[in-house]
Amino acid sequence: MPINTNQPIEDLLRLTPKQKAGLTRLGVITIQDMLRHFPSRYKSYAGQVAIADLEFGSAATVCGRVIKADVQKTWRKKINIAQIIVADGTGSLRITWFNQPYMAKVLSPARAYIFSGKVLKDKKGLYMANPEYEMGEVGPKGPYMFSAYPETYGISSRWRAFTIQKLLRLVESGHIKIEDALPEEILQRYHLPSAASAILAIHDPAYEKKAEAARKRFAFEEILYIQLSRQR
């Protein structure tokens, strides 16, 4: 039986009191609220470079899989350093985070990630320090787009993106059924995507055109509601 989108979001997600309060401040109470709380912007990582082609001092984006992760401590200052090794088939690269030992556990082994930052060098070779990262791979048609969401105390953009991905998988599998407020005739006449397709595209747009089409559909829906309310 499909999950009703009017159910409280906590029926699906295990929330801490801090997260529940944060979502309430954002106006997210139900599953539908979460799905309809769209990204505030998108970011993409262009200029992907094979690890073997990295150059010292350049700003670059690499995509690789985590093959090793551990925590080390500097000898002099006793600073905890999370260090991972990523590989892309052409070579491997060290990536470090200072005073963030938890990063060694955040990044899952054998999973693909995109890292973007400045290429540095020490006696061990090239590395990146505290780069931006996202889970996923750069697609063959260009840089993959990532959704960024409004934040509040207890709710980060990264947590919301991760949570939304869980819900989107349920939408794709049919466990969450998205009711379409627009008749099929309207969708075809104005070349608009269905509500489910638009939800998937606006949160997880492979390319910019998909996000634009999704926003067009929801803007059309909002204008239609306004016009209908004025006629009453």
Side-chain angles (χ1 to χ4, degrees):
M1 184 176 179
I3 298 168
N4 189 328
T5 56
N6 289 320
Q7 289 179 230
I9 189 66
E10 57 190 307
D11 285 358
L12 275 185
L13 305 176
R14 183 177 297 177
L15 302 174
T16 65
K18 187 186 297 183
Q19 289 169 336
K20 185 177 179 180
L23 288 176
T24 300
R25 283 194 298 274
L26 292 170
V28 176
I29 307 298
T30 67
I31 297 169
Q32 178 166 272
D33 292 336
M34 180 69 93
L35 291 172
R36 291 266 182 164
H37 213 261
F38 302 144
S40 56
R41 61 186 177 88
Y42 301 104
K43 56 183 179 180
S44 64
Y45 298 115
Q48 182 185 4
V49 178
I51 289 176
D53 296 330
L54 288 174
E55 296 181 358
F56 168 58
S58 65
T61 296
V62 298
C63 179
R65 294 185 179 275
V66 177
I67 59 174
K68 183 181 179 181
D70 61 17
V71 178
Q72 301 177 356
K73 185 172 288 188
T74 59
W75 180 71
R76 290 184 178 180
K77 296 184 179 181
K78 306 298 182 182
I79 297 174
N80 288 319
I81 300 176
Q83 178 174 281
I84 69 166
I85 306 296
V86 297
D88 69 351
T90 71
S92 60
L93 178 69
R94 280 182 299 130
I95 299 179
T96 62
W97 282 270
F98 296 95
N99 284 322
Q100 300 179 63
Y102 59 86
M103 290 301 300
K105 295 182 178 180
V106 167
L107 303 178
S108 302
R111 182 167 284 177
Y113 292 89
I114 296 168
F115 301 92
S116 187
K118 188 173 183 178
V119 181
L120 305 173
K121 187 176 183 179
D122 61 14
K123 61 182 180 181
K124 295 181 181 179
L126 300 179
Y127 71 101
M128 283 185 180
N130 304 312
E132 291 189 358
Y133 75 94
E134 296 286 349
M135 187 173 68
E137 299 180 76
V138 175
K141 296 182 181 179
Y144 196 91
M145 295 175 65
F146 296 92
S147 300
Y149 297 87
E151 297 182 326
T152 187
Y153 179 69
I155 302 293
S156 68
S157 175
R158 191 178 298 280
W159 180 86
R160 288 189 63 188
F162 177 77
T163 302
I164 283 290
Q165 287 301 315
K166 287 183 177 181
L167 298 185
L168 295 184
R169 287 195 290 270
L170 292 174
V171 172
E172 288 180 316
S173 66
H175 287 89
I176 292 180
K177 185 172 178 58
I178 307 295
E179 298 292 340
D180 208 315
L182 299 180
E184 183 65 27
E185 178 186 351
I186 295 293
L187 297 178
Q188 293 183 3
R189 182 186 304 173
Y190 295 100
H191 307 288
L192 300 172
S194 67
S197 296
I199 287 285
L200 293 171
I202 205 166
H203 285 292
D204 191 20
Y207 309 106
E208 191 172 358
K209 287 186 178 180
K210 288 191 174 183
E212 290 177 356
R215 289 193 178 277
K216 176 184 174 183
R217 181 245 144 78
F218 288 117
F220 181 96
E221 183 178 312
E222 185 176 354
I223 292 171
L224 181 62
Y225 282 151
I226 292 173
Q227 289 177 342
L228 291 175
S229 64
R230 288 176 177 174
Q231 292 175 6
R232 292 175 182 173

